[in-house]
Amino acid sequence: MGKIISIANQKGGVGKTTTSVNLAASLGVLEKKILLIDADPQANATSALGIELNLENEKKTIYEVLENNIDIHNTIITTDSPNVDIIPSTLDLVGAEIELVNQDDREKMLTKQLEKINSKYDFILIDCPPSLGLITINCLCGSDSIIIPIQCEYFALEGLGKLMNTIRKIQSFYNNNLSIEGLLLTMYDSRLRLSNSVIEEVKMHFGDIVFDTIIQRNVRLSEATGFGKSIIKYDAHCRGAINYLNLAKEFIEKNQVITNYESQ
């Protein structure tokens, strides 16, 4: 069974979508079969992988999956990133927050669909919206773990307590198997004393659950998104690509250790 990981932080601009897209691409290059689910109504992960919705697939998105209007198998699109498929998003997803409110088991709509496909992939990554609404709760209920990107800036820990509280509630009421995969420090600038202070503070508070890999600020990451490519496709030798490949290797190593431990 594939492991399902949500990439979430209700604070915007922390590198959540950048991480979702480029971790997926990096894991694909390392020969892992990946599904990326774009669960953000802004659909940035969809466009960042060069996917354009047309008359054929505009009604085959994560929105229709959550609304139970379509089988999840029919929404999967193959990307030009090796070993990476995607379920796209659309602005229609904004309406799902309201439309799901009166549904039975509204927190588990995505979970039921993911059960149909998680055996096809090594890892399923979910790019969550920058909020703690019903869509994000669906994502966390259906996930095995969560990666939390935190930017190396002044308000880095702002709102993190609220996210942790949401995770605890979901563990208590809906998904007691949900764990924290790790906190990922992003947008690091070695020239700034503040960036180093944030790293020290995060590691002091959270210790071993902070990834060793740190994503450095790199203009090529932004450029790649504008061209509808992962950083691996856009410039595999730049600092951003090296950072995400290192993250993918650390992620795989961590999960191999867990798998080996559980099998003993």
Side-chain angles (χ1 to χ4, degrees):
M1 301 290 277
K3 186 173 185 178
I4 304 169
I5 305 100
S6 281
I7 300 173
N9 191 329
Q10 80 275 20
K11 187 172 168 56
V14 298
K16 180 177 57 60
T17 297
T18 299
T19 294
S20 301
V21 168
N22 293 308
L23 177 58
S26 298
L27 289 168
V29 166
L30 296 174
E31 300 185 341
K32 299 298 180 183
K33 183 67 175 168
I34 306 299
L35 175 65
L36 174 61
I37 298 177
D38 188 353
D40 188 341
Q42 298 174 86
N44 290 332
T46 301
S47 59
L49 283 177
I51 304 299
E52 294 184 11
L53 299 183
N54 51 40
L55 289 175
E56 182 182 343
N57 59 24
E58 66 178 352
K59 295 299 181 185
K60 298 178 180 179
T61 70
I62 191 64
Y63 171 72
E64 281 75 28
V65 171
L66 286 170
E67 289 287 304
N68 237 349
N69 292 332
I70 192 171
D71 188 279
I72 194 168
H73 291 92
N74 297 327
T75 65
I76 297 172
I77 297 173
T78 301
T79 74
D80 63 1
S81 288
N83 298 311
V84 178
D85 293 340
I86 188 171
I87 295 177
S89 183
T90 174
L91 193 57
D92 290 347
L93 190 58
V94 171
E97 292 277 0
I98 299 169
E99 293 161 12
L100 289 175
V101 166
N102 295 320
Q103 296 276 3
D104 294 332
D105 256 359
R106 60 180 182 266
E107 298 87 0
K108 297 290 187 77
M109 301 301 288
L110 184 58
T111 304
K112 295 171 185 175
Q113 294 274 17
L114 290 174
E115 289 170 353
K116 303 176 185 178
I117 59 167
N118 66 350
S119 62
K120 295 176 57 179
Y121 296 95
D122 295 307
F123 299 105
I124 297 175
L125 304 182
I126 308 175
D127 183 25
C128 298
S131 71
L132 293 179
L134 198 47
I135 296 172
T136 298
I137 290 171
N138 259 271
C139 296
L140 297 181
C141 286
S143 295
D144 299 301
S145 65
I146 176 174
I147 291 175
I148 306 171
I150 302 174
Q151 82 276 38
C152 296
E153 294 179 1
Y154 184 73
F155 293 111
L157 300 180
E158 187 181 67
L160 192 56
K162 190 173 182 180
L163 176 59
M164 292 295 191
N165 190 44
T166 298
I167 292 170
R168 283 191 289 270
K169 286 182 178 178
I170 287 172
Q171 289 169 331
S172 297
F173 296 112
Y174 305 114
N175 181 4
N176 56 18
N177 294 318
L178 180 66
S179 64
I180 297 177
E181 188 77 30
L183 276 64
L184 175 66
L185 290 156
T186 64
M187 303 181 189
Y188 172 69
D189 189 337
S190 60
R191 299 168 298 178
L192 300 178
R193 184 184 302 173
L194 176 62
S195 288
N196 294 306
S197 298
V198 170
I199 289 173
E200 290 176 13
E201 187 175 359
V202 171
K203 288 189 173 181
M204 181 179 68
H205 278 87
F206 298 101
D208 291 343
I209 66 169
V210 182
F211 282 106
D212 292 331
T213 303
I214 296 173
I215 308 301
Q216 295 169 283
R217 192 177 289 279
N218 182 220
V219 70
R220 304 296 273 174
L221 288 168
S222 300
E223 291 174 355
T225 301
F227 282 94
K229 296 181 179 180
S230 73
I231 193 62
I232 306 301
K233 294 282 287 184
Y234 184 68
D235 185 353
H237 302 289
C238 75
R239 185 165 51 190
I242 292 168
N243 288 167
Y244 276 108
L245 282 167
N246 287 338
L247 176 64
K249 291 172 184 175
E250 182 181 354
F251 176 85
I252 290 170
E253 184 178 348
K254 179 178 180 180
N255 280 282
Q256 284 176 336
V257 169
I258 292 171
T259 303
N260 291 337
Y261 175 78
E262 289 176 345
S263 64
Q264 289 176 1

